């Protein structure tokens, strides 16, 4: 079951645009994650695929058939909601069976499917309980079981883990992933959590500002973000974006953050003014005296295996650097910041500038 | 507002306005729109029909009748414009009814609220077996007008009544409870307050119990006495409920009929001839539909004003 | 609710004493009524209030000499039907206001709210004519039909329906439930507490109707209990106090039982439905 | 509770189904008639306003009638007070719930006549060649218009003067004459008050419009023009006349001399004056003859009864009656109306009326009732019980003592009573009367206007 979006648009009140020109292809059996900050329209997009929200323009295709005018039930899909949408007055078993009964399947088929689904999510022993007697994770599993029990091959999930605590979220992430693989579901998963997207997705769609920013595999998106937003959205701590200029003397030379840092490239810098993205682990920090220093430490966070150093360059730009192991700096201690080999370049509009050579910096 | 809505942080009530529910609201332009219209007729049809026939149409008919004179058999015959209203508002008799009703309504509301607060305050103490007292205090909610009237008519009966016996025992002067104009009003007020008390108590108790305990804990750490807590925490915190109960009591007071009919029949000498009883008497005793219709409209205006105030204030959710 | 760290014994006794005094004051009329219902009328007439001639004669008389059972049955029937009808029709209209999108929804809702400003008491004249024209005078229907629905009930249930998570409706859309199925299988069970509360209100409201049945019933076959008691009073011209009090007790005791069982719902109903 | 909920949940569909079916059934059945008569009999719904002992007596009369024949069955339905019944009758007219036969009180006569909702009993009298000459003429004339009998008088009372004969004897006071004048009554009242050492109040007159109207009737004075409505629709009120003033002055005299006690108005006033009379604290009061029963049973003192007092120097004209009449609605089939008239005839038979008077204190209207055993035994025990009947028989019917044929009498009485109240409280007589007169004229004008002057 493949899903395609063709130039989908959504307006509210024929005024406010929520989504513009969204196109994407989701292959059968794929784990497709839509990610973006809250308010970016990702839930709306999911609801448009489900048929809960009409689209203003464009087409939604399921198995190459336009389904714009099909009601949700005719689209043969299931949906897992952020708050699980469980019926509080029904037992776990009845909740899972609800949709099957609504579709008027025969009794033994329902019995079989519900039992199987509950088994898949390890809830067999809770089947007689009411939702309020379950923990958050268990409720989430009931919602999953509902999707499992259905014969639909497309499953839509709307931030299904956001109500769980951190530990449980990691565990459920794996369970959902395993389930999707086992059942061969085509899964479209909406989240605002980039870690979820990175760890689970076959493909990620990044949404922001009513637009699709990028669609790609997790590594693609991390390594070759289409723009500053995508680069900033993925990776913790956040990528450092610093203003840079082509040196007037040497077009291979790049001056970053006023003239705190200079870097020589393998090829000519394509534009005079640009912005450089440096992942925190690509920054190196060393102690130095105040004459040599190009930055001062603000504070450090020790995470066990690595340390994050927050510092302010002389230019006033703030940076984050990740250093493995434990290092200790005093506040206002002068440091020297240097840059490693992996850099991203963005023009003033925030779009990434691809350079022809892989390794951009002289090692 | 009293009880915080029982929502999990995750639930998106249909009423809220954030992103997801906006998405839900967009069902408004869902392509099943045409079908929704058809369902709307089915779901709303019965109620609309009933309200139309028994609420809206009669209001217009009442307005119509009030502009005419009606004959012996209640048919409107002569158009007189606002004459019926002018007659009413210049008649000492009707103004007396208005005044009497105001006195009754205000007294009933004030006394009910104060007594309800007293009962609720005592019943919210944490004592063993307090549940029994709560149940008993709310008992008058189950009393209908005619039962209340019977109980109190016996109590107020001039010759064999309970109060007359008590005054005899205590050698107090006999009071003409239902025969003296002033005392008849007092008797009707007492009975109404008694009838209202259970409901008012229950609502106020519910409101008091939903005041967060931490407020009292904080106050008692700062050394506030129970009385201080009552006036500076409880009452301000339950003020929306107090307002709500007052308005309800007020509106119900304006609509009082049963007790008047059963206890005093508007007498003695019109001392308890309140608005609804007058409407009834003018229409169904004297057969003067036109005048009764005009009175009905005046009553409607009064009640509409108070209901509007209620809506407005509740809408703003004025708290403290 | 005051935080009482440690209550002294005397403080506790004082509290209980006050509670008991308040109870006696509140329940006084009940107790006096119940007590006199056990006394012979002669003793009451003579002011012999502390008589020891206690018997259930008055109750036997009330059941055998007056149509009190017929009145009770009438009221029960009228109230039950009114309640059932209000639950159905109010929940249906509330459903429309929450889950259906159609032109004029807002205006209609305002119209519904507006009916709460129009007192039924002020509309008795045309309504009497309507019921007469429908040929329903002196029937159960006369006392049921005008109250098949209520704006208050619709409003209260609407508030309750609005509290439902939006996802329930979406999940139902995906499962392919139509409006009727969603209404019946999800909305009604989900809101059963509010429905029970409304049911209790409708029942009590119908049970306590007074003016309207008084105008529209002319015979004991349809007269509800409130008007039945009025009838008994005027027929008996207030001489047989013992029996009158017995009829009152017969009427009030079942209501009290229902009330004590359903108390919780009344409280929550008002707090949630109306104030919120 | 949980179990109940579980049950409801499990059975909600059938429960609702039952409810819907039942609802339908109710609506269906209500379209049909509610009261079932015995098969083969014509059902005659009879609305009445008789409470207490009178209701028992009426039910007995109906029961006897139903047993006496096989064609009809009368079904009595009690409708509460006279005042409210009038409008119920008018408003239910033409519906299946309306009565075939109803009892309506004296002052509603004009209203009933104008409503044109009834079939005048004259029609049946003529068809049946029923001989009405035995029925009291004063009572008949009250419910007739221009020689046509509109309704049949049924429960009829006369206002009479009651006095405590034992007390008068005790204080050596000559009892009032059989037809006493105002001054005669004043004499007795004053003497009783003085001689008892102010322990016994001499007299009272209830604040009751009916009594004031009767005072006018007894002095042959019209309250309204057009012969108190008997010769044409009234257009003018004449309450403020010398006769009314004279009546109120008489009461004022007694109030001033201290022998008069005021019990106010309404049902409580009547209860209180009777209580005081029976307790020997009140010597004289004027009230309906229907109270005789209450005043004799359990009275340790001897009861004296005289006619309604008349002004000095004027011959008593006789008083109108109080009470109610039986009317036949015209919205029922002929057969039913005929049956209703059969019952009326039965109710006015000599024996029926004799039993009625004995049981209720209302006067037997059939002159032949006087020789019935029921009344004979009553008179043997209480000779004074004859007096009201004699007063009724003595009066020659004329316009002034045949009631006031005017609509809006309830309102009129309210205004009359307000004026009486003012006077009793010491206010100016002519001012009180002119205020009332004004109000009454305004009401009359409105009523006439609303009815297009009954053109």
């Amino acid at each position: 079951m493949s899903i395609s979006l063709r130039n989908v648009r959504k307006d509210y009140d024929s005024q406010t645009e929520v989504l513009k020109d969204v196109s994407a292809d989701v292959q059968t059996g794929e784990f497709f994650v839509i990610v973006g900050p809250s308010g970016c329209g990702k839930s709306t997009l999911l609801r448009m695929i489900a048929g809960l929200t009409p689209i203003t323009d464009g087409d939604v295709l399921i198995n190459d058939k336009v389904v714009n005018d099909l009601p949700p039930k005719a689209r043969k899909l299931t949906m897992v909601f952020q708050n699980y949408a469980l019926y509080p007055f029904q037992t776990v078993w009845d909740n899972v069976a609800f949709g099957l009964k609504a579709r008027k399947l025969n009794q033994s088929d329902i019995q079989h499917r519900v039992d199987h689904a509950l088994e898949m999510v390890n809830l067999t022993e809770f089947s007689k309980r009411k939702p309020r007697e379950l923990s958050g994770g268990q409720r989430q599993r009931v919602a999953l079981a509902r999707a499992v029990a259905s014969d639909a091959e497309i499953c839509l999930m709307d931030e299904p883990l956001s109500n769980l605590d951190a530990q449980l979220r990691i565990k459920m992430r794996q369970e959902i992933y395993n389930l999707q693989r086992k059942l061969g579901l085509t899964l479209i998963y909406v989240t605002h959590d980039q870690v979820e997207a990175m760890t689970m997705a076959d493909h990620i769609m990044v949404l922001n500002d009513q637009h699709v920013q990028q669609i790609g595999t997790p590594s693609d998106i991390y390594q070759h973000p289409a723009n500053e937003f995508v680069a900033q959205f993925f990776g913790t701590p956040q990528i450092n974006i610093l203003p840079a200029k082509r040196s007037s003397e040497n077009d291979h030379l790049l001056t970053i953050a006023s003239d705190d840092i200079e870097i020589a490239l393998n090829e000519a810098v394509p534009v005079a003014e640009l912005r450089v993205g440096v992942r925190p682990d690509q920054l190196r920090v060393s102690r130095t005296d105040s004459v040599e220093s190009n930055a001062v430490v603000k504070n450090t966070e020790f995470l066990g295996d690595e340390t994050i150093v927050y510092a302010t360059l002389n230019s006033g730009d703030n940076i984050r650097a990740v250093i493995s192991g434990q290092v200790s700096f005093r506040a206002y201690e002068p440091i020297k910041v240097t840059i490693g080999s992996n850099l991203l370049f963005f023009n003033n509009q925030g779009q990434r500038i691809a350079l022809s050579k892989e390794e951009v910096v002289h090692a | 507002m009293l009880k915080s809505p029982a929502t999990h942080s995750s639930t998106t009530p249909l009423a809220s306005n954030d992103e997801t529910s906006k998405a839900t609201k967009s069902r408004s332009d869902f392509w099943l729109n045409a079908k929704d219209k058809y369902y709307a007729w089915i779901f709303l049809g019965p109620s609309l029909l009933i309200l139309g026939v028994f609420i809206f149409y009669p209001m217009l008919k009442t307005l119509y009748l009030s502009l005419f004179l009606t004959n012996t058999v209640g048919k409107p015959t002569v158009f007189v414009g606002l004459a019926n209203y002018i007659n009413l508002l210049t008649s000492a008799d009707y103004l007396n009814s208005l005044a009497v009703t105001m006195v009754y309504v205000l007294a009933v509301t004030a006394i009910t609220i104060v007594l309800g607060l007293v009962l609720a305050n005592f019943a919210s103490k944490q004592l063993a077996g307090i549940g029994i007292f709560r149940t008993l205090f709310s008992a008058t909610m189950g009393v209908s007008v005619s039962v209340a009237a019977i109980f109190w008519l016996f109590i107020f009966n001039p010759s064999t009544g309970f109060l007359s016996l008590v005054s005899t025992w205590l050698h107090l002067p006999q009071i003409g409870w239902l025969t003296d104009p002033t005392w008849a009003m007092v008797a009707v007020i007492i009975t109404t307050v008694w009838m209202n008390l259970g409901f008012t108590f229950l609502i106020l108790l519910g409101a008091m119990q939903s005041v967060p305990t931490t407020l009292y804990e904080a106050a008692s750490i700062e050394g506030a006495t129970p009385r201080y807590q009552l006036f500076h925490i409880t009452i301000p915190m339950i003020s929306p409920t107090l307002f709500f109960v007052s308005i309800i009591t007020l509106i119900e007071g304006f609509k009082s009929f049963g007790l008047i009919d059963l206890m005093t029949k508007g007498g003695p000498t019109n001392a308890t001839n309140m608005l609804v009883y007058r409407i009834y008497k003018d229409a169904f005793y004297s057969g003067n539909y036109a005048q009764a219709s005009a009175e009905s409209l005046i009553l409607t205006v009064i009640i509409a004003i108070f209901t509007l105030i209620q809506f407005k204030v509740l809408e703003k959710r004025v708290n403290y | 609710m005051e935080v009482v760290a440690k209550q002294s014994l005397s403080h506790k006794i004082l509290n209980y004493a006050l509670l008991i005094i308040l109870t006696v004051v509140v329940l006084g009329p009940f107790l006096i009524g119940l007590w006199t219902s056990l006394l012979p009328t002669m003793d009451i007439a003579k002011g012999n209030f502390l008589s020891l001639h206690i018997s259930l004669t008055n109750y036997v008389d009330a059941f055998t000499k007056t149509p009190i059972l017929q009145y009770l049955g009438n009221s029960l029937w009228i109230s039950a039907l009114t309640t059932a009808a209000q639950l159905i029709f109010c929940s249906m209209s509330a459903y429309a206001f929450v889950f259906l999108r159609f032109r004029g929804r807002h205006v209609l809702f305002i119209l519904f709210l507006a009916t709460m400003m129009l007192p039924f008491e002020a509309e008795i004249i045309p309504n009497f004519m309507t019921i007469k024209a429908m040929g329903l005078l002196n029937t159960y229907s006369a006392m049921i039909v005008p109250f098949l629905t209520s704006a208050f009930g619709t409003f209260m249930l609407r508030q309750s329906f609005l509290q439902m998570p939006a996802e329930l409706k979406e999940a139902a859309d995906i499962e392919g439930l139509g409006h009727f199925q969603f209404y019946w299988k999800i909305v009604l069970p989900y809101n059963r507490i509010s429905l029970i509360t409304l049911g209790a209100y409708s029942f009590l409201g119908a049970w306590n109707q007074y003016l309207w049945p008084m105008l529209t019933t002319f015979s004991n076959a349809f007269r509800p209990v409130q008007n039945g008691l009025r009838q008994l009073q005027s027929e008996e011209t207030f001489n047989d106090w013992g029996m009158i009090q017995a009829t009152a007790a017969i009427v009030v005791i079942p209501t009290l039982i229902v009330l004590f069982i359903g108390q919780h719902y009344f409280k929550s109903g008002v707090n949630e439905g109306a104030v919120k | 509770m949980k179990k109940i909920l579980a049950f409801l949940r499990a059975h909600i569909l059938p429960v609702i189904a039952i409810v819907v079916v039942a609802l339908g059934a109710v609506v269906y059945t209500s379209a049909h008639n509610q009261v079932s008569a015995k098969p083969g009999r014509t059902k005659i719904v009879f609305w009445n306003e008789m409470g207490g002992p009178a209701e028992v007596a009426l039910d007995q009369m109906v029961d006897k009638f139903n047993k006496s024949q096989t064609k009809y069955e009368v079904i009595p339905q009690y409708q509460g007070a006279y005042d409210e019944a009038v409008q119920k009758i008018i408003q239910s007219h033409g519906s299946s719930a309306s009565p075939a036969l109803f009892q309506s009180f004296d002052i509603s006569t004009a209203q009933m006549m104008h409503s044109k909702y009834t079939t005048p009993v004259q029609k049946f009298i003529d068809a049946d060649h029923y001989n009405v000459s035995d029925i009291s003429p004063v009572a008949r004339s009250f419910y007739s218009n221009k020689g046509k009998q509109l309704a049949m008088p049924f429960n009829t009372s006369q206002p009479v003067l009651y006095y405590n004969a034992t007390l008068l004897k005790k204080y050596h006071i000559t009892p009032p004459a059989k037809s006493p004048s105002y001054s005669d009554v004043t004499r007795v009242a004053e003497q009783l008050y003085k001689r008892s050492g102010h322990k016994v109040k001499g007299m009272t007159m209830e604040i009751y419009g009916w009594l004031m109207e009767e005072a006018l009737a007894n002095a042959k004075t019209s309250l309204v023009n057009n012969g108190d409505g008997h010769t044409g629709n009234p257009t003018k009120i004449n309450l403020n006349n010398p006769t009314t003033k004279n009546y109120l002055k008489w009461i004022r005299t007694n109030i001033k001399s201290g022998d008069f006690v005021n019990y106010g108005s309404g049902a409580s006033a009547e209860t209180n004056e009777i209580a005081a009379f029976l307790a020997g604290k009140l010597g004289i009061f004027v009230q309906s003859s229907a109270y005789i029963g209450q005043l004799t049973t359990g009275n340790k003192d001897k009861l004296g009864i005289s006619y309604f007092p008349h002004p000095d120097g004027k011959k008593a004209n006789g008083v109108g009656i109080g009470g109610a009449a039986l009317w036949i609605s015209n919205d029922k089939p002929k057969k039913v109306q005929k049956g209703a008239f059969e019952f009326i005839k039965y109710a006015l038979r000599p024996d029926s009326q004799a039993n009625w008077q004995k049981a209720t204190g209302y006067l037997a209207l059939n002159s032949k009732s006087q020789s019935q055993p029921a009344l004979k035994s009553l008179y043997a025990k209480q000779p004074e019980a004859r007096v009201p009947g004699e007063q009724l028989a003595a009066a020659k019917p004329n316009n002034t003592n045949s009631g006031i044929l005017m609509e809006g009498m309830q309102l009129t009485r309210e205004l009359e009573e307000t004026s009486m109240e003012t006077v009793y409280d010491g206010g100016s007589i002519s001012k009180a009367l002119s205020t009332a007169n004004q109000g009454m004229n305004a009401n009359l004008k409105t009523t006439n206007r609303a009815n297009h002057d009954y053109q």
Side-chain angles (χ1 to χ4, degrees), chain A residues 208-361:
Chain A
N208 188 42
D209 199 19
Q210 294 116 49
H211 279 97
V212 176
Q213 304 291 329
Q214 190 171 7
I215 298 177
T217 63
S219 71
D220 202 24
I221 280 182
Y222 188 75
Q223 283 164 8
H224 308 292
N227 51 34
E228 271 181 38
F229 172 79
V230 176
Q232 281 178 316
F233 197 79
F234 292 90
T236 17
Q238 225 179 27
I239 194 167
N240 300 295
I241 305 266
L242 299 167
K245 273 183 190 149
R246 183 169 59 196
S247 165
S248 47
E249 297 107 48
N250 179 351
D251 64 358
H252 280 55
L253 200 61
L254 196 62
T255 333
I256 299 174
S258 306
D259 46 3
D260 289 341
I261 307 168
E262 278 194 351
I263 276 183
L265 302 188
N266 285 340
E267 55 189 282
V269 179
V271 284
E273 279 196 23
L274 68 167
R275 291 153 71 80
V276 171
V278 193
R279 299 270 176 209
D281 58 351
Q282 294 294 318
L283 284 178
R284 264 158 265 151
V285 174
S286 53
R287 274 177 231 270
T288 180
D289 56 39
S290 51
V291 181
E292 279 290 303
S293 75
N294 60 359
V296 289
V297 172
K298 279 203 300 192
N299 66 311
T300 60
E301 282 174 5
F302 176 55
L303 300 176
D305 55 343
E306 53 190 19
T307 305
I308 305 173
V309 178
Y310 295 93
T312 309
L313 294 175
N314 290 349
S315 65
D317 294 299
N318 288 318
I319 55 152
R320 298 162 287 275
V322 171
I323 294 157
S324 62
Q326 185 174 9
V327 279
S328 58
F329 289 103
R330 284 177 287 110
Y332 302 110
E333 193 173 340
I335 50 168
K336 171 106 182 141
V337 176
T338 51
I339 288 179
S341 56
N342 239 338
L343 296 185
L344 300 169
F345 300 103
F346 302 100
N347 64 16
N348 275 352
Q349 284 72 48
Q351 298 301 316
R352 189 165 66 88
I353 309 165
L355 296 186
S356 49
K357 294 182 178 147
E358 268 300 296
E359 196 81 336
V360 291
V361 182

Side-chain angles (χ1 to χ4, degrees), chain A residues 9-67:
Chain A
R9 202 184 71 194
K10 180 66 191 169
D11 302 344
Y12 280 134
D13 321 322
S14 63
Q15 292 268 328
T16 348
E17 282 202 317
V18 177
L19 285 170
K20 273 187 231 171
D21 197 28
V22 177
S23 294
D25 286 300
V26 182
Q27 302 304 321
T28 305
E30 190 179 344
F31 200 126
F32 189 86
V33 174
I34 302 171
V35 74
S38 58
C40 73
K42 56 190 189 298
S43 285
T44 308
L45 183 59
L46 193 72
R47 279 171 167 73
M48 293 198 297
I49 297 169
L52 296 168
T53 302
I55 55 178
T56 310
D57 202 3
D59 290 319
V60 175
L61 292 85
I62 295 180
N63 269 355
D64 303 323
K65 259 173 58 190
V66 176
V67 295

Side-chain angles (χ1 to χ4, degrees), chain B residues 69-75 77-80 93 158 179 265 269-270 280-287 289, chain D residues 81 83-84 86-88 90-91 111 114-115 117 265 268 272 407 410-411 414 421 446 449-452 454:
Chain B
L69 294 180
T70 47
N71 69 7
T72 310
V73 294
K75 299 247 158 34
T77 49
V78 182
F79 180 82
V80 292
D93 208 33
T179 47
K265 301 231 177 269
T269 55
N270 290 337
Y280 163 73
K281 255 191 109 175
D282 283 342
F284 295 92
Y285 260 56
S286 315
Y289 282 180
Chain D
D83 310 54
E84 35 179 324
V86 177
Q87 285 301 318
K88 275 196 205 175
I90 288 180
Q91 282 151 3
Q111 212 168 347
H114 290 146
S115 76
Y117 282 175
S265 63
S268 63
N272 291 337
E407 268 195 60
Q410 291 101 313
L411 221 55
E414 267 177 39
E421 211 157 36
T446 311
R449 200 177 153 209
N451 289 288
H452 300 304
Y454 305 98

Side-chain angles (χ1 to χ4, degrees), chain B residues 26-189:
Chain B
S26 74
R27 277 201 314 269
S28 64
D29 26 308
F30 193 46
W31 52 96
L32 290 179
N33 220 347
K35 262 194 172 170
D36 263 19
K37 194 169 141 195
Y38 154 79
Y39 279 109
W41 277 113
I42 299 178
F43 276 92
L44 274 178
S47 288
L48 276 179
L49 185 72
I50 297 294
L51 293 180
V53 173
F54 292 104
I55 305 275
F56 290 114
Y57 161 73
M59 219 4 99
L60 297 176
K61 186 74 188 277
T62 305
L63 177 65
Y64 174 81
L65 285 174
S66 73
L67 303 176
F68 283 82
L69 294 180
T70 47
N71 69 7
T72 310
V73 294
K75 299 247 158 34
T77 49
V78 182
F79 180 82
V80 292
L82 294 176
N84 285 321
Y85 294 93
I86 293 163
N87 282 346
L88 277 177
L89 295 173
T90 52
S91 117
D93 208 33
Y94 187 72
L95 295 178
N96 167 63
S97 274
L98 269 176
V100 163
T101 312
M102 285 310 289
V103 168
Y104 167 80
V105 163
L106 292 177
V108 162
T109 307
I111 301 172
T112 307
I113 295 291
V114 170
L115 287 184
L117 268 177
V118 170
L119 287 185
N121 190 43
F122 273 101
S124 61
K125 289 187 192 302
Q126 277 151 358
L127 293 165
I130 195 74
I132 297 168
F133 289 104
R134 287 176 189 166
T135 304
L136 292 178
F137 285 173
S138 65
T140 61
M141 228 184 124
V143 183
S144 54
V145 261
S146 49
V147 171
I150 289 177
F151 284 162
W152 284 95
L153 275 171
F154 176 72
I155 292 173
F156 291 132
N157 187 289
S159 46
T160 58
F162 184 75
L163 285 176
S164 128
L165 280 179
V166 171
S167 357
T168 311
W169 289 336
L170 302 177
H171 301 285
L172 293 172
Q174 295 283 347
I175 291 172
W177 280 106
L178 295 167
T179 47
D180 179 276
T182 313
W183 287 111
M185 175 60 104
V186 174
V188 172
I189 289 172

Side-chain angles (χ1 to χ4, degrees), chain C residues 105-122:
Chain C
R105 192 173 69 122
H106 189 65
V107 174
L108 275 181
F109 184 66
I110 299 280
L111 217 60
F112 263 67
L113 278 188
T115 63
M116 288 167 81
M117 300 192 293
L118 309 178
F120 191 83
E121 285 78 0

Side-chain angles (χ1 to χ4, degrees), chain D residues 339-454:
Chain D
F341 188 66
E342 287 303 316
F343 176 74
I344 291 180
K345 284 197 291 186
Y346 184 87
L348 286 158
R349 274 163 45 162
D351 54 335
S352 307
Q353 283 292 306
N355 289 331
W356 180 240
Q357 175 170 359
K358 193 183 174 196
T360 63
Y362 287 114
L363 300 173
L365 291 175
N366 195 314
S367 56
K368 289 192 177 126
S369 297
Q370 303 302 327
S371 53
Q372 289 285 318
L375 279 188
K376 277 188 170 163
S377 67
L378 175 73
Y379 294 153
K381 261 196 282 175
Q382 313 171 338
E384 69 277 6
R386 283 173 182 276
V387 178
E390 287 167 4
Q391 182 180 236
L392 180 67
K396 296 243 163 17
N398 53 39
N399 286 342
T400 47
N401 66 9
S402 297
I404 297 149
L405 208 52
M406 178 177 79
E407 268 195 60
M409 281 301 290
Q410 291 101 313
L411 221 55
T412 299
R413 283 203 173 157
E414 267 177 39
L415 291 167
E416 286 170 355
E417 282 156 23
T418 313
S419 72
M420 291 170 88
E421 211 157 36
T422 315
V423 172
Y424 282 31
D425 289 344
S428 144
I429 291 177
S430 50
K431 212 173 148 194
L433 286 178
S434 84
T435 307
N437 207 54
Q438 245 171 21
M440 286 155 74
N441 266 322
N443 285 335
L444 181 63
K445 222 172 130 187
T446 311
T447 310
N448 284 338
R449 200 177 153 209
N451 289 288
H452 300 304
D453 295 318
Y454 305 98

Side-chain angles (χ1 to χ4, degrees), chain D residues 184-431:
Chain D
D184 194 20
V185 178
T186 306
R187 168 189 62 83
V188 178
E190 278 176 348
Q191 284 174 346
L192 185 57
Y193 183 60
K194 277 186 194 137
R195 295 184 192 173
S196 68
H198 298 188
K199 269 188 201 143
V200 180
K201 283 285 187 181
M203 67 174 291
T204 186
M205 287 290 273
E206 191 196 341
I207 298 181
Y208 189 7
W210 183 51
L211 295 182
M212 189 145 90
E213 288 158 23
E214 295 292 24
L216 291 176
N218 213 17
K220 212 173 179 175
T221 310
S222 296
L223 177 65
V224 300
N225 67 353
N226 289 336
D228 268 346
H230 293 284
T231 57
N233 184 53
T235 55
K236 204 168 176 301
I237 307 277
N238 182 29
L239 178 70
N240 196 1
N241 63 48
T243 308
T244 327
K245 283 183 186 159
N246 193 18
Y247 171 73
L248 289 174
K249 270 185 199 148
W250 167 54
I251 291 169
R252 176 66 67 74
T253 313
N254 284 285
I255 291 174
K256 277 190 181 148
S257 66
D259 65 69
F260 189 95
V261 54
N262 176 12
Y263 292 104
S265 63
S268 63
E270 284 165 39
T271 319
N272 291 337
E273 66 185 20
I274 289 171
F277 184 79
L278 290 176
K281 289 178 184 164
L282 172 67
I284 296 172
F285 74 107
V286 177
Q287 206 39 275
S288 159
S289 60
Y291 280 116
I292 293 186
Q294 262 187 63
L295 292 170
T296 44
T297 49
N299 187 358
K300 55 188 195 312
D301 291 342
K302 198 176 165 327
L303 179 69
I305 304 182
S306 294
Y307 291 1
F308 192 93
H310 59 83
D312 294 80
K314 238 183 176 178
K315 202 174 154 281
N317 179 42
V319 286
I321 54 163
L326 298 177
W327 299 73
I328 298 173
S329 307
N330 62 8
D331 62 343
K332 295 285 177 279
K334 274 205 174 106
K335 193 171 67 168
V336 177
Q337 297 192 26
K338 177 94 180 39
F341 188 66
E342 287 303 316
F343 176 74
I344 291 180
K345 284 197 291 186
Y346 184 87
L348 286 158
R349 274 163 45 162
D351 54 335
S352 307
Q353 283 292 306
N355 289 331
W356 180 240
Q357 175 170 359
K358 193 183 174 196
T360 63
Y362 287 114
L363 300 173
L365 291 175
N366 195 314
S367 56
K368 289 192 177 126
S369 297
Q370 303 302 327
S371 53
Q372 289 285 318
L375 279 188
K376 277 188 170 163
S377 67
L378 175 73
Y379 294 153
K381 261 196 282 175
Q382 313 171 338
E384 69 277 6
R386 283 173 182 276
V387 178
E390 287 167 4
Q391 182 180 236
L392 180 67
K396 296 243 163 17
N398 53 39
N399 286 342
T400 47
N401 66 9
S402 297
I404 297 149
L405 208 52
M406 178 177 79
E407 268 195 60
M409 281 301 290
Q410 291 101 313
L411 221 55
T412 299
R413 283 203 173 157
E414 267 177 39
L415 291 167
E416 286 170 355
E417 282 156 23
T418 313
S419 72
M420 291 170 88
E421 211 157 36
T422 315
V423 172
Y424 282 31
D425 289 344
S428 144
I429 291 177
S430 50
K431 212 173 148 194

